[in-house]
Amino acid sequence: MNKQSKFLIAGFVLSLFLAGVVSNYASSNPDGLEKVAEDIGFLDSAKEHTNADGLLADYGVKGIENERLSTGAAGVIGVIATAGVSTGLFLILRRKNGASK
């Protein structure tokens, strides 16, 4: 295994750890936009978005009751999905440019 592969695998494992474990320690305070909406007084007029009932809505996995586990699982799913899509795109682009391994 070459250095580049080791580096990519280490980065992937670190990303999984950060998303699955460390994300549970993120601030629970509202983000900037939500805070301004609260301060100005129009937060109550906000509507739910289209995907509010989705599988990964609100930084969790629907159906997992434990909040910490739900948040961690959502992070891990996000990292795996991002890695899968980006790897697929990179492989397609590499083939189109004529590079081969």
Side-chain angles (χ1 to χ4, degrees):
M1 187 178 291
N2 63 20
K3 281 177 118 176
Q4 183 179 9
S5 296
K6 288 180 183 177
F7 179 76
L8 291 174
I9 290 170
F12 182 68
V13 170
L14 179 62
S15 297
L16 288 173
F17 174 74
L18 291 172
V21 178
V22 178
S23 63
N24 285 300
Y25 298 101
S27 174
S28 61
N29 293 330
D31 63 14
L33 180 60
E34 190 174 345
K35 177 71 172 142
V36 169
E38 185 178 291
D39 290 346
I40 293 176
F42 66 90
L43 183 61
D44 295 335
S45 65
K47 298 178 185 174
E48 286 291 330
H49 56 84
T50 307
N51 297 323
D53 292 330
L55 181 64
L56 296 174
D58 292 329
Y59 303 104
V61 177
K62 189 175 187 178
I64 298 179
E65 299 301 323
N66 183 318
E67 187 176 344
R68 294 178 71 82
L69 184 60
S70 178
T71 301
V76 169
I77 290 168
V79 167
I80 292 171
T82 302
V85 169
S86 61
T87 300
L89 287 173
F90 287 134
L91 290 173
I92 290 169
L93 291 173
R94 182 178 75 173
R95 288 188 186 134
K96 281 188 175 184
N97 291 332
S100 61
K101 190 170 184 183

Coordinates of all heavy atoms in Angstrom, one line a residue:
M1 N 0.9 -1.2 0.0 CA 0.0 0.0 0.0 C 0.9 1.2 0.0 O 1.8 1.4 0.8 CB -0.9 0.0 1.2 CG -1.9 1.1 1.2 SD -3.1 1.0 2.6 CE -4.0 -0.4 2.3
N2 N 0.7 2.1 -0.9 CA 1.5 3.3 -1.0 C 1.1 4.4 0.0 O 0.0 4.3 0.6 CB 1.5 3.9 -2.5 CG 0.2 4.3 -2.9 OD1 -0.7 4.6 -2.2 ND2 0.0 4.4 -4.2
K3 N 1.9 5.5 0.1 CA 1.6 6.6 1.0 C 0.3 7.3 0.8 O -0.4 7.6 1.7 CB 2.8 7.6 1.0 CG 4.0 7.2 1.7 CD 5.1 8.3 1.5 CE 5.4 8.9 2.8 NZ 6.5 9.8 2.7
Q4 N 0.0 7.5 -0.5 CA -1.3 8.2 -0.8 C -2.5 7.4 -0.4 O -3.4 7.9 0.2 CB -1.3 8.4 -2.3 CG -2.6 9.2 -2.7 CD -2.6 9.5 -4.2 OE1 -1.8 9.0 -5.0 NE2 -3.6 10.3 -4.6
S5 N -2.5 6.1 -0.6 CA -3.6 5.2 -0.1 C -3.7 5.2 1.4 O -4.8 5.3 1.9 CB -3.4 3.8 -0.6 OG -3.4 3.7 -2.0
K6 N -2.6 5.2 2.1 CA -2.6 5.2 3.5 C -3.2 6.6 4.0 O -4.0 6.6 5.0 CB -1.2 5.0 4.1 CG -0.7 3.6 4.0 CD 0.7 3.5 4.6 CE 1.2 2.1 4.4 NZ 2.6 2.0 4.9
F7 N -2.8 7.6 3.4 CA -3.3 9.0 3.7 C -4.8 9.1 3.5 O -5.5 9.6 4.4 CB -2.5 10.0 2.9 CG -3.0 11.4 3.2 CD1 -2.6 12.1 4.3 CD2 -3.8 12.1 2.3 CE1 -3.0 13.4 4.6 CE2 -4.2 13.4 2.5 CZ -3.8 14.0 3.7
L8 N -5.3 8.6 2.4 CA -6.7 8.6 2.1 C -7.5 7.8 3.0 O -8.6 8.2 3.5 CB -7.0 8.2 0.6 CG -6.5 9.2 -0.4 CD1 -6.7 8.5 -1.8 CD2 -7.1 10.5 -0.4
I9 N -7.0 6.6 3.4 CA -7.7 5.8 4.3 C -7.7 6.4 5.7 O -8.8 6.4 6.4 CB -7.1 4.3 4.3 CG1 -7.4 3.6 3.0 CG2 -7.6 3.5 5.5 CD1 -6.7 2.3 2.8
A10 N -6.6 7.0 6.1 CA -6.5 7.6 7.4 C -7.5 8.8 7.5 O -8.2 9.0 8.5 CB -5.1 8.1 7.7
G11 N -7.6 9.6 6.4 CA -8.5 10.7 6.3 C -10.0 10.3 6.4 O -10.8 10.9 7.1
F12 N -10.3 9.1 5.7 CA -11.6 8.6 5.7 C -12.0 8.1 7.2 O -13.1 8.4 7.7 CB -11.7 7.5 4.7 CG -13.1 6.9 4.6 CD1 -14.2 7.6 4.1 CD2 -13.4 5.6 5.1 CE1 -15.5 7.0 4.0 CE2 -14.6 5.0 5.0 CZ -15.7 5.8 4.5
V13 N -11.1 7.4 7.8 CA -11.3 6.9 9.2 C -11.5 8.1 10.1 O -12.4 8.1 11.0 CB -10.2 6.0 9.6 CG1 -10.3 5.6 11.1 CG2 -10.2 4.7 8.8
L14 N -10.7 9.1 10.0 CA -10.8 10.3 10.8 C -12.1 11.0 10.6 O -12.8 11.4 11.6 CB -9.6 11.3 10.6 CG -9.6 12.6 11.4 CD1 -9.5 12.3 12.9 CD2 -8.5 13.5 10.9
S15 N -12.5 11.1 9.4 CA -13.8 11.7 9.0 C -15.0 10.9 9.7 O -15.9 11.5 10.2 CB -14.0 11.8 7.5 OG -13.1 12.6 6.9
L16 N -14.9 9.6 9.6 CA -15.9 8.8 10.3 C -16.0 9.0 11.8 O -17.1 9.1 12.4 CB -15.7 7.3 10.0 CG -16.0 6.8 8.5 CD1 -15.5 5.4 8.4 CD2 -17.4 7.0 8.2
F17 N -14.8 9.1 12.4 CA -14.7 9.4 13.8 C -15.3 10.7 14.2 O -16.1 10.9 15.1 CB -13.3 9.3 14.3 CG -13.1 9.7 15.7 CD1 -13.5 8.8 16.8 CD2 -12.6 10.9 16.1 CE1 -13.4 9.1 18.1 CE2 -12.4 11.2 17.4 CZ -12.8 10.4 18.4
L18 N -14.9 11.8 13.4 CA -15.4 13.1 13.7 C -16.9 13.2 13.5 O -17.6 13.8 14.3 CB -14.7 14.1 12.8 CG -13.3 14.4 13.1 CD1 -12.7 15.3 12.0 CD2 -13.1 15.0 14.4
A19 N -17.4 12.6 12.5 CA -18.9 12.6 12.2 C -19.7 11.7 13.2 O -20.8 12.1 13.6 CB -19.2 12.2 10.8
G20 N -19.1 10.6 13.5 CA -19.8 9.7 14.4 C -19.8 9.9 15.9 O -20.7 9.6 16.6
V21 N -18.6 10.5 16.3 CA -18.4 10.7 17.8 C -18.4 12.2 18.1 O -19.1 12.6 19.0 CB -17.1 10.0 18.2 CG1 -16.9 10.2 19.7 CG2 -17.2 8.5 17.9
V22 N -17.5 12.9 17.5 CA -17.2 14.3 17.9 C -18.4 15.2 17.6 O -18.7 16.2 18.3 CB -15.9 14.8 17.3 CG1 -15.7 16.3 17.6 CG2 -14.7 14.0 17.7
S23 N -19.2 14.8 16.6 CA -20.3 15.7 16.2 C -21.4 15.8 17.4 O -22.1 16.7 17.4 CB -21.0 15.1 15.0 OG -21.5 13.8 15.2
N24 N -21.4 14.8 18.3 CA -22.3 14.9 19.4 C -21.9 16.0 20.4 O -22.7 16.3 21.3 CB -22.3 13.5 20.2 CG -23.1 12.5 19.4 OD1 -24.2 12.7 19.1 ND2 -22.4 11.5 19.0
Y25 N -20.7 16.5 20.3 CA -20.3 17.6 21.2 C -20.4 19.0 20.6 O -19.9 20.0 21.1 CB -18.9 17.3 21.7 CG -18.8 16.0 22.4 CD1 -18.3 14.9 21.8 CD2 -19.2 16.0 23.7 CE1 -18.2 13.7 22.5 CE2 -19.2 14.8 24.4 CZ -18.7 13.6 23.8 OH -18.6 12.4 24.5
A26 N -21.0 19.1 19.4 CA -21.2 20.4 18.7 C -22.2 21.2 19.6 O -23.0 20.7 20.3 CB -21.7 20.2 17.3
S27 N -22.1 22.5 19.4 CA -23.0 23.4 20.1 C -24.5 23.2 19.7 O -24.8 23.0 18.6 CB -22.6 24.9 19.7 OG -23.6 25.7 20.3
S28 N -25.3 23.2 20.8 CA -26.7 23.1 20.5 C -27.4 24.4 20.4 O -28.6 24.5 20.2 CB -27.4 22.3 21.7 OG -27.2 22.9 22.9
N29 N -26.6 25.5 20.5 CA -27.2 26.8 20.3 C -27.6 27.0 18.9 O -27.0 26.5 18.0 CB -26.2 27.9 20.7 CG -25.8 27.9 22.2 OD1 -26.7 27.5 23.0 ND2 -24.6 28.2 22.5
P30 N -28.6 27.9 18.7 CA -29.1 28.1 17.3 C -28.0 28.7 16.4 O -27.1 29.4 16.9 CB -30.3 29.0 17.4 CG -30.2 29.5 18.8 CD -29.4 28.6 19.6
D31 N -28.0 28.4 15.1 CA -27.0 29.0 14.2 C -27.4 30.5 14.0 O -28.3 31.0 14.6 CB -27.0 28.3 12.9 CG -28.3 28.4 12.1 OD1 -29.2 29.2 12.5 OD2 -28.5 27.6 11.1
G32 N -26.5 31.2 13.3 CA -26.7 32.7 13.1 C -28.0 33.1 12.6 O -28.6 34.0 13.1
L33 N -28.5 32.5 11.5 CA -29.8 32.9 11.0 C -30.9 32.6 11.9 O -31.8 33.5 12.1 CB -30.0 32.1 9.7 CG -31.3 32.4 8.9 CD1 -31.4 33.9 8.6 CD2 -31.5 31.6 7.7
E34 N -30.9 31.5 12.6 CA -32.0 31.2 13.6 C -31.9 32.2 14.8 O -32.9 32.6 15.3 CB -31.8 29.8 14.0 CG -33.0 29.3 14.9 CD -32.9 27.8 15.2 OE1 -32.1 27.1 14.6 OE2 -33.6 27.4 16.1
K35 N -30.7 32.5 15.2 CA -30.5 33.5 16.3 C -31.1 34.8 15.9 O -31.8 35.5 16.7 CB -29.1 33.5 16.7 CG -28.8 34.5 17.8 CD -29.3 34.1 19.1 CE -28.8 35.0 20.2 NZ -29.7 35.2 21.2
V36 N -30.8 35.3 14.7 CA -31.3 36.6 14.3 C -32.8 36.6 14.2 O -33.5 37.5 14.6 CB -30.6 37.0 12.9 CG1 -31.3 38.2 12.3 CG2 -29.1 37.3 13.1
A37 N -33.3 35.5 13.6 CA -34.8 35.4 13.5 C -35.4 35.4 14.9 O -36.5 36.0 15.1 CB -35.2 34.1 12.8
E38 N -34.8 34.8 15.8 CA -35.3 34.8 17.2 C -35.2 36.2 17.8 O -36.2 36.7 18.4 CB -34.5 33.8 18.0 CG -35.0 33.6 19.5 CD -34.1 32.6 20.2 OE1 -34.1 31.4 19.8 OE2 -33.3 33.0 21.1
D39 N -34.1 36.9 17.6 CA -33.9 38.2 18.2 C -34.9 39.2 17.6 O -35.4 40.1 18.3 CB -32.5 38.7 18.0 CG -31.5 37.9 18.8 OD1 -31.9 37.2 19.8 OD2 -30.3 38.0 18.5
I40 N -35.1 39.2 16.3 CA -35.9 40.1 15.6 C -37.4 39.8 15.8 O -38.3 40.7 15.9 CB -35.6 40.2 14.1 CG1 -34.2 40.8 14.0 CG2 -36.6 41.0 13.3 CD1 -33.7 40.9 12.5
G41 N -37.7 38.5 16.0 CA -39.1 38.1 16.4 C -39.9 37.5 15.2 O -41.1 37.4 15.3
F42 N -39.2 37.0 14.2 CA -40.0 36.3 13.1 C -39.7 34.8 13.1 O -40.1 34.2 12.1 CB -39.8 37.0 11.8 CG -38.4 36.9 11.2 CD1 -38.0 35.8 10.4 CD2 -37.4 37.8 11.5 CE1 -36.7 35.7 9.9 CE2 -36.1 37.7 10.9 CZ -35.8 36.6 10.2
L43 N -39.1 34.3 14.1 CA -38.9 32.8 14.1 C -40.2 32.0 14.2 O -40.2 30.9 13.6 CB -38.0 32.5 15.3 CG -37.6 31.0 15.5 CD1 -36.7 30.6 14.3 CD2 -36.8 30.8 16.7
D44 N -41.2 32.6 14.8 CA -42.5 31.9 14.9 C -43.2 31.7 13.6 O -44.0 30.9 13.4 CB -43.4 32.6 15.9 CG -42.8 32.5 17.3 OD1 -42.0 31.6 17.6 OD2 -43.2 33.4 18.1
S45 N -42.8 32.5 12.6 CA -43.5 32.5 11.3 C -42.8 31.5 10.3 O -43.2 31.3 9.2 CB -43.5 33.8 10.6 OG -42.2 34.3 10.4
A46 N -41.7 30.8 10.8 CA -41.0 29.9 10.0 C -41.8 28.7 9.7 O -42.6 28.2 10.5 CB -39.7 29.5 10.7
K47 N -41.7 28.1 8.5 CA -42.4 26.9 8.1 C -41.4 25.7 8.0 O -40.2 25.9 7.7 CB -43.1 27.1 6.8 CG -44.1 28.2 6.8 CD -44.7 28.4 5.4 CE -45.6 29.6 5.4 NZ -46.1 29.9 4.0
E48 N -41.9 24.5 8.1 CA -41.1 23.3 8.0 C -40.8 23.2 6.5 O -41.6 23.5 5.6 CB -41.9 22.1 8.4 CG -42.0 21.9 9.9 CD -40.7 21.6 10.6 OE1 -39.8 21.0 10.0 OE2 -40.5 22.1 11.8
H49 N -39.5 22.7 6.2 CA -39.1 22.5 4.8 C -39.7 21.2 4.3 O -40.2 20.4 5.0 CB -37.6 22.6 4.7 CG -36.9 21.6 5.6 ND1 -36.7 20.4 5.2 CD2 -36.3 21.8 6.8 CE1 -36.0 19.7 6.1 NE2 -35.8 20.6 7.1
T50 N -39.6 21.0 3.0 CA -40.1 19.9 2.3 C -39.6 18.5 2.9 O -40.3 17.6 2.9 CB -39.8 20.0 0.8 OG1 -40.3 21.2 0.3 CG2 -40.5 18.9 0.0
N51 N -38.3 18.5 3.2 CA -37.7 17.3 3.7 C -37.7 17.1 5.2 O -36.9 16.3 5.7 CB -36.3 17.2 3.1 CG -36.3 17.1 1.6 OD1 -37.1 16.5 1.0 ND2 -35.3 17.8 1.0
A52 N -38.5 17.8 5.9 CA -38.5 17.8 7.4 C -38.9 16.4 7.9 O -38.5 16.0 9.0 CB -39.5 18.8 7.9
D53 N -39.6 15.6 7.1 CA -39.9 14.2 7.6 C -39.0 13.2 6.9 O -39.3 12.0 7.0 CB -41.4 13.9 7.2 CG -42.4 14.7 8.0 OD1 -42.0 15.1 9.2 OD2 -43.4 15.0 7.5
G54 N -37.9 13.6 6.3 CA -37.0 12.7 5.6 C -36.2 11.8 6.6 O -36.2 12.0 7.8
L55 N -35.6 10.8 6.1 CA -34.8 9.8 6.8 C -33.7 10.5 7.6 O -33.4 10.1 8.8 CB -34.2 8.8 5.9 CG -33.4 7.7 6.6 CD1 -34.3 6.9 7.5 CD2 -32.7 6.8 5.5
L56 N -33.0 11.5 7.1 CA -31.9 12.2 7.8 C -32.2 13.6 8.2 O -31.3 14.5 8.2 CB -30.7 12.1 6.9 CG -30.1 10.8 6.6 CD1 -29.0 10.8 5.5 CD2 -29.7 10.1 7.8
A57 N -33.5 13.9 8.5 CA -33.8 15.3 8.8 C -33.3 15.7 10.2 O -33.2 14.8 11.1 CB -35.4 15.4 8.8
D58 N -33.0 16.9 10.4 CA -32.6 17.5 11.7 C -31.4 16.8 12.3 O -31.4 16.5 13.5 CB -33.8 17.5 12.7 CG -34.9 18.4 12.3 OD1 -34.5 19.5 11.7 OD2 -36.1 18.2 12.6
Y59 N -30.4 16.5 11.5 CA -29.1 16.0 12.0 C -29.3 14.6 12.7 O -28.5 14.4 13.7 CB -28.4 17.0 12.9 CG -28.1 18.3 12.2 CD1 -28.9 19.4 12.6 CD2 -27.1 18.4 11.3 CE1 -28.7 20.6 11.9 CE2 -26.9 19.6 10.7 CZ -27.7 20.7 11.0 OH -27.5 21.9 10.4
G60 N -30.2 13.8 12.3 CA -30.4 12.5 13.0 C -31.0 11.5 12.0 O -31.3 11.9 10.9
V61 N -31.1 10.3 12.4 CA -31.7 9.2 11.6 C -33.1 8.9 12.1 O -33.2 8.6 13.3 CB -30.8 8.0 11.6 CG1 -31.5 6.9 10.8 CG2 -29.4 8.3 11.0
K62 N -34.1 9.0 11.3 CA -35.4 8.8 11.7 C -35.6 7.3 12.2 O -35.1 6.4 11.5 CB -36.4 9.0 10.5 CG -37.8 9.0 10.9 CD -38.7 9.4 9.7 CE -40.1 9.6 10.0 NZ -40.9 10.0 8.8
G63 N -36.2 7.1 13.3 CA -36.4 5.7 13.8 C -35.4 5.3 14.9 O -35.6 4.3 15.5
I64 N -34.3 6.1 15.0 CA -33.4 5.8 16.1 C -33.7 6.7 17.3 O -33.5 7.9 17.1 CB -31.9 6.0 15.7 CG1 -31.6 5.0 14.5 CG2 -30.9 5.8 16.8 CD1 -30.1 5.1 14.0
E65 N -34.1 6.2 18.4 CA -34.6 7.0 19.5 C -33.5 7.6 20.3 O -33.6 8.8 20.8 CB -35.5 6.1 20.4 CG -36.7 5.5 19.8 CD -37.6 6.6 19.2 OE1 -37.8 7.7 19.8 OE2 -38.2 6.3 18.1
N66 N -32.3 7.0 20.4 CA -31.2 7.5 21.2 C -30.6 8.7 20.4 O -30.1 8.5 19.3 CB -30.2 6.4 21.4 CG -29.0 6.9 22.2 OD1 -28.5 8.0 22.0 ND2 -28.6 6.0 23.1
E67 N -30.7 9.9 20.9 CA -30.3 11.1 20.2 C -28.8 11.1 19.8 O -28.4 11.4 18.7 CB -30.6 12.3 21.0 CG -30.3 13.6 20.3 CD -30.7 14.9 21.1 OE1 -31.4 14.7 22.1 OE2 -30.3 16.0 20.7
R68 N -27.9 10.6 20.7 CA -26.5 10.6 20.4 C -26.2 9.6 19.3 O -25.4 9.9 18.4 CB -25.7 10.2 21.7 CG -25.8 11.3 22.7 CD -25.0 10.9 24.0 NE -23.6 10.9 23.8 CZ -22.8 12.0 23.9 NH1 -23.3 13.2 24.1 NH2 -21.5 11.9 23.7
L69 N -26.8 8.4 19.4 CA -26.6 7.4 18.4 C -27.2 7.8 17.0 O -26.6 7.6 16.0 CB -27.3 6.1 18.8 CG -27.1 4.9 17.9 CD1 -25.6 4.6 17.7 CD2 -27.8 3.7 18.5
S70 N -28.3 8.5 17.1 CA -29.0 9.0 15.8 C -28.1 10.1 15.2 O -27.9 10.0 13.9 CB -30.4 9.6 16.2 OG -31.0 10.1 15.1
T71 N -27.6 11.0 15.9 CA -26.7 12.0 15.4 C -25.4 11.4 14.8 O -25.0 11.8 13.7 CB -26.3 13.1 16.5 OG1 -27.5 13.6 17.0 CG2 -25.4 14.2 15.9
G72 N -24.8 10.5 15.5 CA -23.6 9.9 15.0 C -23.9 9.1 13.8 O -23.1 9.1 12.8
A73 N -25.0 8.3 13.7 CA -25.3 7.5 12.5 C -25.5 8.4 11.3 O -25.1 8.1 10.2 CB -26.5 6.7 12.8
A74 N -26.2 9.5 11.5 CA -26.4 10.5 10.4 C -25.1 11.0 9.9 O -24.9 11.1 8.7 CB -27.3 11.6 10.9
G75 N -24.2 11.3 10.8 CA -22.9 11.8 10.4 C -22.1 10.7 9.6 O -21.5 11.0 8.5
V76 N -22.1 9.5 10.1 CA -21.4 8.4 9.4 C -22.1 8.2 8.0 O -21.4 8.0 7.0 CB -21.4 7.1 10.2 CG1 -21.0 5.9 9.5 CG2 -20.6 7.3 11.5
I77 N -23.4 8.2 7.9 CA -24.1 8.0 6.6 C -23.7 9.1 5.7 O -23.4 8.9 4.5 CB -25.6 7.9 6.8 CG1 -26.0 6.6 7.5 CG2 -26.3 8.1 5.5 CD1 -27.4 6.6 8.0
G78 N -23.6 10.3 6.2 CA -23.2 11.5 5.3 C -21.8 11.3 4.8 O -21.5 11.6 3.6
V79 N -20.8 10.9 5.7 CA -19.5 10.7 5.2 C -19.4 9.6 4.2 O -18.7 9.8 3.2 CB -18.5 10.4 6.4 CG1 -17.2 9.9 6.0 CG2 -18.4 11.6 7.3
I80 N -20.0 8.5 4.4 CA -20.0 7.4 3.4 C -20.6 7.8 2.1 O -20.1 7.5 1.0 CB -20.7 6.1 4.0 CG1 -19.8 5.6 5.2 CG2 -20.9 5.1 3.0 CD1 -20.5 4.5 6.0
A81 N -21.7 8.5 2.2 CA -22.4 8.9 0.9 C -21.5 9.9 0.2 O -21.4 9.8 -1.1 CB -23.7 9.6 1.2
T82 N -20.9 10.9 0.9 CA -20.0 11.8 0.2 C -18.8 11.2 -0.4 O -18.4 11.5 -1.5 CB -19.6 12.9 1.3 OG1 -20.7 13.5 1.8 CG2 -18.7 13.9 0.6
A83 N -18.2 10.2 0.4 CA -17.1 9.5 -0.2 C -17.4 8.7 -1.4 O -16.7 8.6 -2.4 CB -16.5 8.6 0.9
G84 N -18.6 8.0 -1.4 CA -19.0 7.2 -2.5 C -19.3 8.1 -3.7 O -18.8 7.7 -4.8
V85 N -20.0 9.2 -3.6 CA -20.3 10.0 -4.7 C -19.0 10.6 -5.3 O -18.7 10.6 -6.5 CB -21.3 11.1 -4.4 CG1 -21.4 12.2 -5.4 CG2 -22.6 10.5 -4.1
S86 N -18.1 11.2 -4.4 CA -16.9 11.8 -4.9 C -16.0 10.8 -5.5 O -15.3 11.1 -6.5 CB -16.2 12.6 -3.7 OG -15.9 11.7 -2.7
T87 N -15.8 9.6 -4.9 CA -15.0 8.6 -5.6 C -15.5 8.2 -6.9 O -14.7 8.1 -7.9 CB -14.9 7.3 -4.7 OG1 -14.4 7.7 -3.4 CG2 -14.1 6.2 -5.3
G88 N -16.8 8.0 -7.1 CA -17.4 7.7 -8.4 C -17.1 8.8 -9.4 O -16.7 8.6 -10.5
L89 N -17.3 10.1 -9.0 CA -17.0 11.2 -9.9 C -15.5 11.3 -10.3 O -15.2 11.5 -11.5 CB -17.4 12.5 -9.3 CG -19.0 12.7 -9.2 CD1 -19.2 14.0 -8.4 CD2 -19.6 12.8 -10.6
F90 N -14.7 11.1 -9.3 CA -13.2 11.1 -9.6 C -12.8 10.0 -10.6 O -12.0 10.2 -11.5 CB -12.4 11.0 -8.4 CG -12.4 12.2 -7.5 CD1 -12.6 12.2 -6.2 CD2 -12.2 13.5 -8.1 CE1 -12.6 13.3 -5.4 CE2 -12.3 14.7 -7.4 CZ -12.4 14.6 -6.0
L91 N -13.4 8.8 -10.4 CA -13.1 7.7 -11.3 C -13.6 8.0 -12.8 O -13.0 7.7 -13.7 CB -13.7 6.4 -10.8 CG -13.1 5.8 -9.6 CD1 -13.9 4.6 -9.0 CD2 -11.6 5.4 -9.8
I92 N -14.8 8.6 -12.9 CA -15.4 8.9 -14.2 C -14.5 10.0 -14.8 O -14.1 9.9 -16.0 CB -16.8 9.4 -14.0 CG1 -17.7 8.3 -13.7 CG2 -17.3 10.1 -15.3 CD1 -19.1 8.7 -13.3
L93 N -14.1 11.0 -14.1 CA -13.2 12.0 -14.6 C -11.9 11.5 -15.0 O -11.3 11.9 -16.0 CB -13.1 13.2 -13.6 CG -14.4 14.0 -13.4 CD1 -14.1 15.0 -12.3 CD2 -14.8 14.7 -14.7
R94 N -11.3 10.6 -14.3 CA -10.0 10.0 -14.6 C -10.1 9.3 -15.9 O -9.2 9.4 -16.7 CB -9.6 9.1 -13.4 CG -8.2 8.6 -13.7 CD -7.7 7.7 -12.6 NE -8.5 6.5 -12.6 CZ -8.2 5.5 -11.8 NH1 -7.3 5.6 -10.9 NH2 -8.9 4.3 -11.9
R95 N -11.1 8.5 -16.1 CA -11.3 7.7 -17.3 C -11.5 8.6 -18.5 O -11.0 8.4 -19.6 CB -12.4 6.8 -17.2 CG -12.1 5.6 -16.3 CD -13.2 4.6 -16.3 NE -12.9 3.6 -15.2 CZ -13.7 3.1 -14.4 NH1 -15.0 3.5 -14.4 NH2 -13.4 2.2 -13.5
K96 N -12.2 9.7 -18.4 CA -12.5 10.6 -19.5 C -11.2 11.3 -19.9 O -11.1 11.6 -21.1 CB -13.6 11.7 -19.1 CG -15.0 11.2 -19.2 CD -15.9 12.3 -19.0 CE -17.3 11.8 -19.1 NZ -18.3 12.8 -19.1
N97 N -10.3 11.6 -19.0 CA -9.1 12.3 -19.3 C -8.0 11.3 -19.9 O -6.9 11.7 -20.2 CB -8.5 13.0 -18.1 CG -9.4 14.2 -17.8 OD1 -10.1 14.8 -18.7 ND2 -9.4 14.6 -16.5
G98 N -8.3 10.0 -20.0 CA -7.4 9.1 -20.5 C -6.4 8.6 -19.5 O -5.5 7.8 -19.9
A99 N -6.5 9.0 -18.3 CA -5.5 8.5 -17.3 C -5.9 7.1 -16.8 O -7.1 6.8 -16.7 CB -5.5 9.4 -16.1
S100 N -5.0 6.2 -16.6 CA -5.3 4.9 -16.1 C -4.3 4.5 -15.1 O -3.2 5.0 -15.0 CB -5.3 3.9 -17.3 OG -4.0 3.8 -17.9
K101 N -4.7 3.6 -14.3 CA -3.8 3.1 -13.2 C -3.2 1.8 -13.5 O -3.7 1.0 -14.1 CB -4.6 3.1 -11.9 CG -3.7 2.9 -10.7 CD -4.4 3.1 -9.4 CE -3.5 3.0 -8.3 NZ -4.1 3.1 -7.0

